[in-house]
Amino acid sequence: RVRLMESGGGSVQAGGWLTLSCEKSEFQGMYCMAWFRQIPGKEREAVAAIDVEGHTRYAEPVKGRFTISGDTKKNTVHLNMTNLKPDDTAVYVCAADISGRCVLILPQGNSPKLDADLYGYWGQGTQVTVSS
């Protein structure tokens, strides 16, 4: 069974940056890999996703500040987070889909979906804390 392992979390001041990494335990091509975040007492929130063709999608709160990169066919996907805000404080969790359900097929080019229900593999998460 494929395991996902996150790293790179930490504590920074507002305006700072962090880069998270998600590594797969074995070579298994994924249609999509994504980042979600969980704040205690709140619903899990989508952050960003990347599909096997390199198309990306971002949740509105992180657009222009976060960048997802990597290769879903290889082992590692990254989330580069800049201009961090206290509201970004959360446990960031990596997820992956091997079924292909995560891909939105469009005439102008495919796009990964940000629906958590489409992702069948999840990591344990890494804490990101942003202080004001």
Side-chain angles (χ1 to χ4, degrees):
R1 180 177 174 83
V2 175
R3 289 185 295 116
L4 303 176
M5 294 162 287
E6 303 93 339
S7 62
S11 298
V12 296
Q13 290 191 326
W17 62 273
L18 283 172
T19 297
L20 306 182
S21 296
C22 176
E23 186 172 352
K24 295 179 286 179
S25 60
E26 59 188 70
F27 182 79
Q28 168 70 58
M30 302 291 184
Y31 278 96
C32 302
M33 293 184 73
W35 287 94
F36 294 80
R37 61 189 183 186
Q38 182 73 59
I39 300 170
K42 294 188 177 182
E43 289 190 6
R44 182 169 46 195
E45 180 182 47
V47 176
I50 185 168
D51 72 11
V52 65
E53 296 177 335
H55 302 117
T56 58
R57 176 176 285 197
Y58 298 91
E60 204 62 41
V62 306
K63 279 183 179 178
R65 299 189 298 121
F66 291 11
T67 303
I68 188 170
S69 64
D71 190 338
T72 64
K73 296 185 293 295
K74 297 182 180 177
N75 285 347
T76 307
V77 170
H78 307 284
L79 183 69
N80 186 41
M81 307 183 295
T82 64
N83 192 22
L84 282 162
K85 305 175 181 179
D87 285 349
D88 295 319
T89 295
V91 174
Y92 284 72
V93 185
C94 178
D97 172 46
I98 63 172
S99 72
R101 298 182 303 160
C102 61
V103 179
L104 177 63
I105 299 174
L106 299 169
Q108 63 270 33
N110 297 344
S111 178
K113 300 176 185 178
L114 291 174
D115 304 276
D117 292 344
L118 300 176
Y119 292 83
Y121 293 91
W122 294 83
Q124 294 297 311
T126 184
Q127 177 70 46
V128 171
T129 302
V130 185
S131 58
S132 57

